[in-house]
Amino acid sequence: MVRLLAVSGSLRTASSNSALLRAAERLNPEGVSIRHYLEVGQLPHFDPDLADNPPPIVVALRELIGQADGILISCPEYARGIPGAFKNALDWLVASHEFPGKPVALFNASPRASHAQAALRLVLETMSASIVEPASITVNLLAKEMDETAIAADPQIRQQIVSALEAFKDRIEEGARIAEE
Ligand SMILES: Cc1cc2nc3c(=O)[nH]c(=O)nc-3n(C[C@H](O)[C@H](O)[C@H](O)COP(=O)(O)O)c2cc1C
């Protein structure tokens, strides 16, 4: 079983990025499980003085990252950048030993969010994540107010999500095979 941790960069209840991740859970191929991390908004502000001995909520996040075979991120753009709450979560993972090398699929709910996507790639590459390009997709949910049911039912978006998840699964399984050799 390939275990994915889905993390939305938006705290908004009706977030299109969060809905996209929930749609992914509905469509996930056999052999893939998706767990949603919902505590980005509860994390304390990152403090380097605490990085080596972090609060329990951060320890729990790092453990979830460690248990996951891959991370599925969907993050909006705020003021041409990464939303502060999500960047804060990433900052807590910079010094962790769980994050480097972790396969990451970048989902993007808005074709307009190019600056945030570029910034996110730079940050994730700096954190030594392994961004899986065939598993990274942009869909247009901007101002459409589609929930996960509508997203999963849209033929074109559905196909994009399924293809991305299959590519992510294949890459993770390939990485595991290479590691065993
Ligand atoms: C404070 C704020 C700043 C934003 N800045 C941008 C921006 O720079 N570029 C952009 O394309 N959209 C921007 N948006 C629009 C959001 O990216 C858009 O509403 C998106 O759907 C939010 O993601 P969500 O639906 O997952 O919450 C901004 C929205 C907010 C609330």
Side-chain angles (χ1 to χ4, degrees):
M1 177 65 72
V2 169
R3 292 156 304 173
L4 304 182
L5 187 68
V7 191
S8 173
S10 174
L11 306 184
R12 212 163 64 87
T13 308
S15 159
S16 55
N17 288 280
S18 304
L20 180 58
L21 294 175
R22 289 194 298 270
E25 184 178 13
R26 292 197 179 192
L27 298 172
N28 64 351
E30 208 179 327
V32 176
S33 72
I34 299 182
R35 176 174 186 160
H36 296 265
Y37 183 73
L38 301 174
E39 295 192 298
V40 167
Q42 275 75 58
L43 292 167
H45 289 160
F46 174 67
D47 179 348
D49 287 342
L50 303 177
D52 292 337
N53 191 17
I57 189 170
V58 174
V59 174
L61 169 60
R62 289 179 179 178
E63 281 174 4
L64 286 173
I65 298 284
Q67 288 159 8
D69 300 307
I71 315 294
L72 193 53
I73 291 173
S74 193
C75 183
E77 174 168 307
Y78 284 174
R80 298 200 170 179
I82 303 169
F86 188 68
K87 179 61 166 60
N88 183 57
L90 292 177
D91 286 344
W92 278 115
L93 298 171
V94 169
S96 74
H97 68 265
E98 290 86 355
F99 197 82
K102 195 64 75 175
V104 171
L106 279 180
F107 279 21
N108 174 18
S110 163
R112 247 178 36 188
S114 55
H115 297 91
Q117 288 298 305
L120 203 47
R121 281 168 184 275
L122 189 61
V123 169
L124 291 167
E125 283 161 14
T126 305
M127 293 169 68
S128 302
S130 172
I131 299 174
V132 180
E133 295 302 341
S136 298
I137 52 168
T138 295
V139 302
N140 189 2
L141 301 179
L142 194 62
K144 290 193 175 162
E145 292 176 19
M146 290 166 83
D147 64 10
E148 59 267 34
T149 307
I151 295 169
D154 181 288
Q156 194 191 337
I157 301 176
R158 177 192 183 90
Q159 185 53 46
Q160 278 183 282
I161 294 173
V162 169
S163 299
L165 291 173
E166 279 171 354
F168 203 23
K169 177 177 183 249
D170 288 349
R171 180 64 64 87
I172 289 168
E173 287 177 342
E174 186 190 319
R177 267 197 305 276
I178 290 168
E180 275 170 20
E181 282 169 14

